[in-house]
Amino acid sequence: MNVDVFLTGSHVTEEDVEGRTVVVIDVLRASSTIITALANGARAVIPVADMDQAGKIAMNLDPSTYLLGGERDGDRIDGYHLGNSPLEYTPDVVHDKTIILNTSNGTRALWNAREARHLIVGGFLNADRVVQFIREAGLDLTIICAGNHDRVTLDDTLCAGLILHRLWNGQEPEQVSDAAHIALTQYLHDRDALAEALRQSNHARWLTAKGYGADVEYCLQLDILPVLPYYQENRLVRWSGRLAESSS
Ligand code: MLT
């Protein structure tokens, strides 16, 4: 299996993802919000690239069926129902709703990768489920770390490293891409004090300073939600576990 890693998400092209399994990672916080929303009974999450797209999609939906969620500068967008805090996406709020999600980096990275053969969302919350799917699919793999406005983020890189470590059963193959090697090496460096390393990351400290420290602690939890967000027909739905049908 050929494995490629992008340490930031903005320059991914259609050719980079075609025919591959693609995992988009935005630990803080878009991935964690999407995983949580679907775990808590949301019907679907529609990731969008910008305000315009969010507005157009909302206009064509029955207002009782959807919620607009998202952030700019970490805070809820004016006029939206929800921000980008996974803790807001509780079962009573999201049950049976379609969430239109608009975030600064994570949903844009998803939008850029939409032509992948299999497009899934990963974070610490569902890392185990992600590795299971990658193995099942058996295709070449691209991991896209959303990063932050074209900058590498430690949280996404460490999550990519964790996924690779598990996928490779702890043995780095002889020839890997530089970015895959960097992600794995960073993970090996930090894994014994992973939560602490993550708390010290730029984005975690920034969110904590803005009052979102509880989100950071939540997003750092490992394997607590065995839920796989899977992209089909312009939306992410909870993967049902039937690969053969969707591959045909
Ligand atoms: C993003 O998409 O850039 C993030 O999820 C930002 C955030 O922490 O809300």
Side-chain angles (χ1 to χ4, degrees):
M1 176 189 298
N2 169 277
V3 175
D4 203 2
V5 174
F6 285 80
L7 295 175
T8 65
S10 28
H11 299 295
V12 175
T13 64
E14 206 173 308
E15 293 87 74
D16 294 321
V17 301
E18 260 176 4
R20 304 173 74 94
T21 298
V22 175
V23 186
V24 169
I25 299 174
D26 184 5
V27 170
L28 299 173
R29 295 166 292 176
S31 286
S32 305
T33 295
I34 292 165
I35 297 160
T36 303
L38 292 178
N40 284 343
R43 183 179 287 268
V45 177
I46 305 180
V48 298
D50 55 36
M51 298 292 188
D52 261 16
Q53 201 190 351
K56 279 181 194 143
I57 292 171
M59 263 177 359
N60 288 311
L61 293 176
D62 171 346
S64 68
T65 63
Y66 75 85
L67 295 169
L68 273 164
E71 55 69 41
R72 284 298 176 268
D73 261 338
D75 297 318
R76 182 165 57 83
I77 297 168
D78 278 349
Y80 276 30
H81 306 96
L82 297 164
N84 190 28
S85 163
L87 301 175
E88 290 177 80
Y89 290 69
T90 55
D92 53 320
V93 172
V94 302
H95 179 72
D96 229 16
K97 300 283 188 192
T98 295
I99 314 291
I100 303 168
L101 192 66
N102 176 8
T103 75
S104 307
N105 301 281
T107 60
R108 286 183 192 174
L110 278 159
W111 177 252
N112 290 343
R114 66 192 179 283
E115 297 300 336
R117 176 65 193 87
H118 299 299
L119 175 56
I120 61 176
V121 173
F124 288 108
L125 300 178
N126 70 344
D128 204 36
R129 189 66 192 84
V130 166
V131 173
Q132 204 185 321
F133 181 89
I134 295 167
R135 287 205 173 109
E136 250 170 70
L139 298 179
D140 288 342
L141 170 68
T142 299
I143 297 179
I144 300 172
C145 299
N148 191 13
H149 298 290
D150 265 345
R151 293 183 179 188
V152 174
T153 60
L154 186 63
D155 40 302
D156 295 344
T157 305
L158 284 174
C159 188
L162 167 85
I163 287 170
L164 292 177
H165 189 253
R166 288 181 173 182
L167 187 67
W168 291 333
N169 297 315
Q171 284 296 316
E172 184 174 353
E174 261 178 39
Q175 287 193 333
V176 297
S177 74
D178 290 352
H181 178 69
I182 288 168
L184 182 68
T185 305
Q186 190 62 46
Y187 171 71
L188 293 174
H189 179 270
D190 286 338
R191 70 173 162 170
D192 291 337
L194 193 59
E196 200 38 43
L198 289 163
R199 284 186 198 109
Q200 293 307 320
S201 69
N202 293 169
H203 200 71
R205 280 190 280 146
W206 180 76
L207 283 171
T208 302
K210 284 178 76 76
Y212 297 116
D215 285 359
V216 173
E217 292 304 315
Y218 173 79
C219 297
L220 305 188
Q221 298 175 96
L222 196 50
D223 298 322
I224 61 162
L225 297 175
V227 170
L228 192 72
Y230 185 91
Y231 191 81
Q232 57 188 28
E233 291 163 17
N234 95 338
R235 61 199 58 212
L236 292 155
V237 295
R238 190 170 168 158
W239 175 249
S240 63
R242 289 190 298 275
L243 195 57
E245 281 175 28
S246 108
S247 303
S248 59

